Amino acid sequence: YQRRVRVGCEAARCAIEGLQKEIPPCIVSLKNNEIVRLPLMEAIQRTLSVKEHFRAKEWEKAQELRGPGFGKKITICKMMAGSEVQAHDTHRTVGVLCIGAPAPGMNSGIRALVKIAAYHGDTVRVFYEGVNGLLSGNSSVLSPAECEVWGMVGGCTIGASRRTITPDNMGVVVKELKSLDALVIFGGFEAIFSALVLAESPLLLPVYVIPATISNNVPGSDFSLGCDTGLNSIVRAVDSIKQSAASTRKRVFILELMGGNCGYLTVMSGIACGADAVYVPEHPVKIDELQSDACRIIDKMERGVHRGIIMRNEYSSPNYKNDFVAALYAEEGEGKYVVRSNILGHIQQGYSPSPFDRCMAAQFASKVYRNLEKRLGKEAYTAEDVVVVGVIGSKTQFTPVGELQMDKERRVPTTSTLRWMDLKPLIPILSLPPRK
């Protein structure tokens, strides 16, 4: 939802710029998480060239014109299908565990990793219940047949827990890791904390963190597995609420969303749902802002839009909770609208993973395995071999956990790295009522 809105807003910017100065015709599109403008005539020529290469049976050239990501996705499909096996001389075992809250896309990522490992003649050993399974030795080798349907299953089938790897339990962890050639951790900030501990210990193997949390608060990546599914869950719920608000007339809903100290879900769902205002921890709300927004709702209803949606992150303010905000809006409204308060809760973690999260999980797993091929066989591993795989702008890259820019206490990336915060000013613009 929010990607369509972002593209639409960029197209509007292009149109406005075109009124002010002459700009070449372009196509507005998304490349991974980055808005790009492509020259229109060049794009048309490339599209026509694809047909020409197909007629000439020049498949590789046609594939190149589809973009570099297209060929990589075809490779991923082949590995996931398991039609061929490219076994190595030495058999390798990759360990997998999930640390933190369960997130849609974890199962998709594990399934992809198991299938890609099988394609290379390797195996994946999963640890059940996160670090608890790692410490107790509760693990097993997972075959592709066992996880065949996991791609469409939400949550985390092998179990996840918030318990982390610490210096105190490091001795037991080292014993378990001796049987592995690499370790992949799915999770949020708890996974980052565990990786930091591993980076400070005598390393036995390369470690990869695949961001997986609906909060999307993992440093080193613009996206985490589950955040798109969580966003879709919110949109579905809010769409139902908007129908109620519109049917009963002059009703304002104050909605509390998850996300911890990260306002990603609130901002993006606010854009997707046409919220009138959003309140997030990154931009602490003041009382005068609340009063101003409440008065703006009155103006909106006088112009014929008989409903209001206000979204706030669960930690947007230590004092201005849902009940307080609802009471303030009711007081400032002076009886001109009715206020209702809702906390969406754990439905945001539910549902099957979205197509976007499933594809992103497969891409993360593929990237991890390709990078793993380069790291295996080193005489000694260092803290540089404990990395987070993430999408930043239009590129997928690996960042050593020691170089991550984050606020450990609040469990969020530093504000300067939050690219999505640039979209927050769009919310009041997109909710503007018709002019009188």
Side-chain angles (χ1 to χ4, degrees):
Y1 294 99
Q2 92 283 6
R3 289 189 287 278
R4 298 174 193 167
V5 174
R6 288 172 60 195
V7 170
C9 290
E10 185 64 21
R13 288 195 184 103
C14 285
I16 294 171
E17 287 180 25
L19 294 174
Q20 298 170 346
K21 61 180 181 180
E22 185 175 348
I23 59 173
C26 64
I27 292 177
V28 178
S29 183
L30 270 174
K31 187 177 181 182
N32 280 346
N33 192 37
E34 191 170 40
I35 294 281
V36 293
R37 297 182 184 182
L38 305 174
L40 178 60
M41 298 312 298
E42 180 182 328
I44 292 174
Q45 185 57 48
R46 286 171 64 90
T47 303
L48 295 174
S49 298
V50 171
K51 290 184 178 181
E52 294 173 3
H53 289 304
F54 266 118
R55 291 193 187 101
K57 297 184 179 182
E58 297 172 337
W59 314 122
E60 292 184 1
K61 291 182 179 179
Q63 181 177 303
E64 288 175 7
L65 287 170
R66 294 291 189 188
F70 187 76
K72 292 176 182 177
K73 288 180 176 65
I74 291 177
T75 302
I76 292 174
C77 287
K78 289 180 178 179
M79 289 191 292
M80 298 279 284
S83 55
E84 302 175 11
V85 176
Q86 296 184 353
H88 296 279
D89 295 334
T90 57
H91 177 271
R92 299 168 303 196
T93 302
V94 179
V96 172
L97 74 156
C98 300
I99 304 178
M106 282 183 170
N107 282 331
S108 303
I110 295 170
R111 172 180 175 270
L113 202 62
V114 169
K115 284 181 168 288
I116 292 171
Y119 175 84
H120 289 92
D122 300 329
T123 56
V124 170
R125 175 172 292 276
V126 295
F127 294 90
Y128 297 97
E129 305 300 330
V131 174
N132 294 324
L134 183 62
L135 297 178
S136 63
N138 183 14
S139 66
S140 68
V141 172
L142 196 64
S143 70
E146 290 176 290
C147 60
E148 180 61 41
V149 299
W150 284 20
M152 62 183 181
V153 180
C156 181
T157 301
I158 66 172
S161 74
R162 294 186 181 276
R163 187 175 183 181
T164 61
I165 297 173
T166 65
D168 295 334
N169 58 35
M170 195 63 205
V172 180
V173 170
V174 169
K175 290 180 181 178
E176 288 294 330
L177 297 184
K178 284 182 178 179
S179 62
L180 303 177
D181 296 289
L183 178 67
V184 178
I185 305 175
F186 290 84
F189 246 86
E190 289 87 356
I192 296 294
F193 289 150
S194 297
L196 285 169
V197 173
L198 289 172
E200 295 170 358
S201 65
L203 272 178
L204 304 169
L205 73 177
V207 178
Y208 296 88
V209 176
I210 295 181
T213 167
I214 66 167
S215 301
N216 199 30
N217 63 338
V218 179
S221 182
D222 292 342
F223 282 119
S224 61
L225 299 183
C227 71
D228 186 71
T229 305
L231 180 58
N232 290 342
S233 302
I234 293 169
V235 170
R236 276 191 289 265
V238 175
D239 282 350
S240 300
I241 290 172
K242 284 173 69 176
Q243 289 181 21
S244 171
S247 301
T248 52
R249 298 300 179 112
K250 296 188 176 181
R251 181 169 286 186
V252 177
F253 280 88
I254 314 296
L255 307 177
E256 180 180 290
L257 309 181
M258 285 182 166
N261 284 307
C262 179
Y264 174 85
L265 285 178
T266 308
V267 170
M268 290 304 188
S269 58
I271 290 174
C273 299
D276 297 285
V278 297
Y279 306 129
V280 294
E282 291 84 357
H283 185 274
V285 63
K286 303 297 182 183
I287 192 71
D288 57 344
E289 184 180 348
L290 291 172
Q291 291 174 314
S292 174
D293 290 339
C295 293
R296 193 157 53 86
I297 294 291
I298 296 176
D299 179 62
K300 178 180 178 178
M301 292 194 174
E302 289 176 349
R303 297 190 188 190
V305 182
H306 299 294
R307 60 116 181 106
I309 299 292
I310 308 299
M311 296 181 172
R312 56 172 297 275
N313 170 273
E314 57 187 337
Y315 295 138
S316 58
S317 170
N319 299 310
Y320 303 150
K321 304 291 187 181
N322 242 42
D323 291 341
F324 178 90
V325 174
L328 185 144
Y329 268 77
E331 183 68 23
E332 295 295 325
E334 299 177 343
K336 295 179 180 178
Y337 52 74
V338 178
V339 180
R340 293 288 183 268
S341 175
N342 278 81
I343 298 175
L344 294 191
H346 284 79
I347 65 167
Q348 296 162 82
Q349 287 185 346
Y351 292 103
S352 298
S354 66
F356 181 86
D357 275 329
R358 298 183 197 191
C359 293
M360 186 60 70
Q363 289 180 58
F364 277 159
S366 175
K367 285 282 185 181
V368 164
Y369 223 90
R370 283 206 299 269
N371 187 267
L372 182 60
E373 296 282 311
K374 301 175 184 178
R375 294 179 189 266
L376 285 174
K378 292 175 64 174
E379 293 183 1
Y381 295 105
T382 67
E384 296 293 311
D385 294 301
V386 182
V387 297
V388 173
V389 56
V391 173
I392 299 179
S394 60
K395 298 181 180 179
T396 303
Q397 61 188 50
F398 296 86
T399 307
V401 290
E403 298 177 10
L404 296 174
Q405 301 178 45
M406 57 184 168
D407 183 335
K408 292 183 181 179
E409 184 176 348
R410 297 180 62 244
R411 299 191 173 197
V412 290
T414 55
T415 307
S416 61
T417 63
L418 301 178
R419 299 159 63 91
W420 52 265
M421 272 299 288
D422 295 338
L423 303 173
K424 186 175 181 292
L426 290 174
I427 291 174
I429 297 174
L430 295 175
S431 65
L432 284 174
R435 292 182 180 181
K436 291 182 179 179

